[in-house]
Amino acid sequence: MNILVFGKDGQLGKAFQSVLAAHKLSELHRIHFVGRAQCDLSNADAITNLLRETKPNLIINAAAYTAVDQAEQEIDLAYAINANAPAVMAQYAVKEGATLLHYSTDYVFDGTKATPYLETDARNPLGIYGKSKAAGEEAIETIFRSQPDPQAQFAILRTSWVYGDGPNFIRTILRLAKERDAIKVIANQYGVPTSALWLASISLAIVLNENHQLRSFPSGFYHAIPQGETTWYELACFAVQVASDAGADLKLYPNQITAIPASEYPLPAPRPMNSRLGRPALDTLMNQISKGTDVTKWQQWQQSWQEQVADYVQDLVLHKNI
Ligand SMILES: NC(=O)c1ccc[n+]([C@@H]2O[C@H](COP(=O)([O-])OP(=O)(O)OC[C@H]3O[C@@H](n4cnc5c(N)ncnc54)[C@H](OP(=O)(O)O)[C@@H]3O)[C@@H](O)[C@H]2O)c1
């Protein structure tokens, strides 16, 4: 089969490159990794032409406009990449009976709910980034629901606080921990840090069966985050402690991190205070998928955010990447 991965140079795109290589999937399938240089997602014709050329059976859209604050100024560009581009991919998928794997965000919610957001909760984004991602979700849903093809299927995986090979919160904190002996971090925004490598692995478990061929699954929304929840402050303290224990040369230790409210760190784009995502739909699906299969895949699915962050930080320290 043909697999087309958009966003090859982003955190999730690089994670897909690693995971697909680890499973030696290029020996089984033709895999096209595409970045901005090969296809500018703000150009709908370029996407259509690429889809026509590569004829993917599986489209993985790991690309997105992710500059949350800049989006407040670049509204048209954010919508072109986060809403129009996935719509073009969805149109191709329903026409050709392909599978579309797309990613969305906790920012489609307003964060006022007291408990974790479920897959079925109504969207109410606060800023342009969240609105453009919500528009992408809606476009995919509408296109698939209005032109049902029994073979075409989609999964929209909402995730949060992603970290991998690229700029992210954990790397920023560890860089600051080498430079400064005091920092302030927001302690009243709640969410779940998610490893890009884990997200790519879980994604493939959803769309591919044990023989690495496409499986059928219920189209719809899945919240893809590991177990647990935290705040930016707790995450910063945890990452610094793990780095210190792993032997990193730091100026900052967790007791030198000050917890502050979000109101003390104003940013151009509004952010949800509660970014916690519940994952009942994904748990149900993974329970079905994992029945009678490889136990290690199941164990990976049950990992907590702490286990994943610890692995990530230890790896950064070991390879001197901080
Ligand atoms: N990062 C998070 O904390 C977070 C949280 C929740 C949800 N998500 C979602 O998770 C998914 C993956 O995020 P990520 O962290 O991997 O994002 P990322 O590291 O920012 O990567 C996004 C990729 O999209 C590419 N891209 C942007 N504009 C493009 C354009 N016009 N044409 C072609 N490619 C373009 C970028 O290309 P360049 O490399 O050339 O810039 C980049 O490689 C996204 O759907 C995002 O919305 C992320």
Side-chain angles (χ1 to χ4, degrees), residues 30-289:
R30 273 179 302 278
I31 309 177
H32 307 269
F33 290 104
V34 172
R36 194 189 292 264
Q38 292 77 35
C39 181
D40 179 352
L41 292 184
S42 64
N43 179 346
D45 289 342
I47 306 170
T48 305
N49 290 339
L50 184 74
L51 291 167
R52 213 176 278 149
E53 276 165 31
T54 52
K55 297 184 178 48
N57 309 91
L58 169 62
I59 303 168
I60 299 175
N61 182 24
Y65 182 104
T66 54
V68 174
D69 291 315
Q70 213 172 311
E72 298 297 312
Q73 304 299 324
E74 295 186 322
I75 301 171
D76 290 348
L77 187 59
Y79 271 84
I81 297 162
N82 291 345
N84 298 351
V88 175
M89 296 173 201
Q91 272 150 1
Y92 166 88
V94 293
K95 192 158 162 264
E96 303 297 335
T99 295
L100 173 61
L101 193 49
H102 177 74
Y103 294 86
S104 193
T105 166
D106 48 310
Y107 280 43
V108 300
F109 299 118
D110 63 17
T112 56
K113 196 179 172 189
T115 52
Y117 284 92
L118 304 181
E119 287 94 343
T120 46
D121 280 330
R123 294 177 279 252
N124 188 26
L126 299 172
I128 298 299
Y129 167 70
K131 286 178 183 164
S132 66
K133 293 294 287 183
E137 291 187 355
E138 258 184 278
I140 292 172
E141 221 181 349
T142 307
I143 290 163
F144 271 86
R145 302 277 182 236
S146 63
Q147 303 172 34
D149 173 317
Q151 254 203 307
Q153 48 185 4
F154 75 93
I156 298 176
L157 270 58
R158 289 197 192 113
T159 189
S160 64
W161 298 15
V162 176
Y163 57 89
D165 185 355
N168 60 62
F169 174 82
I170 296 174
R171 282 197 154 169
T172 302
I173 292 296
L174 295 179
R175 178 175 49 75
L176 292 174
K178 293 196 93 169
E179 295 167 359
R180 300 191 198 170
D181 58 12
I183 61 167
K184 295 176 180 176
V185 181
I186 294 170
N188 62 345
Q189 279 172 347
Y190 295 83
V192 192
T194 304
S195 149
L197 277 174
W198 176 86
L199 183 57
S201 297
I202 291 304
S203 303
L204 290 181
I206 292 173
V207 295
L208 302 181
N209 63 22
E210 290 294 291
N211 300 318
H212 304 303
Q213 302 298 328
L214 270 181
R215 74 160 89 239
S216 59
F217 58 85
S219 281
F221 290 84
Y222 297 95
H223 287 175
I225 62 287
Q227 304 276 11
E229 60 183 62
T230 188
T231 65
W232 293 117
Y233 167 75
E234 279 177 25
L235 174 57
C237 292
F238 183 78
V240 168
Q241 187 63 56
V242 172
S244 169
D245 293 346
D249 182 18
L250 306 178
K251 285 192 182 151
L252 182 84
Y253 294 94
N255 62 355
Q256 293 155 286
I257 303 176
T258 305
I260 55 163
S263 55
E264 276 187 35
Y265 194 75
L267 290 164
R271 284 150 166 84
M273 299 302 286
N274 173 20
S275 275
R276 291 176 297 153
L277 301 174
R279 54 180 211 190
L282 195 55
D283 279 335
T284 304
L285 182 63
M286 291 304 291
N287 269 317
Q288 286 164 1
I289 286 172

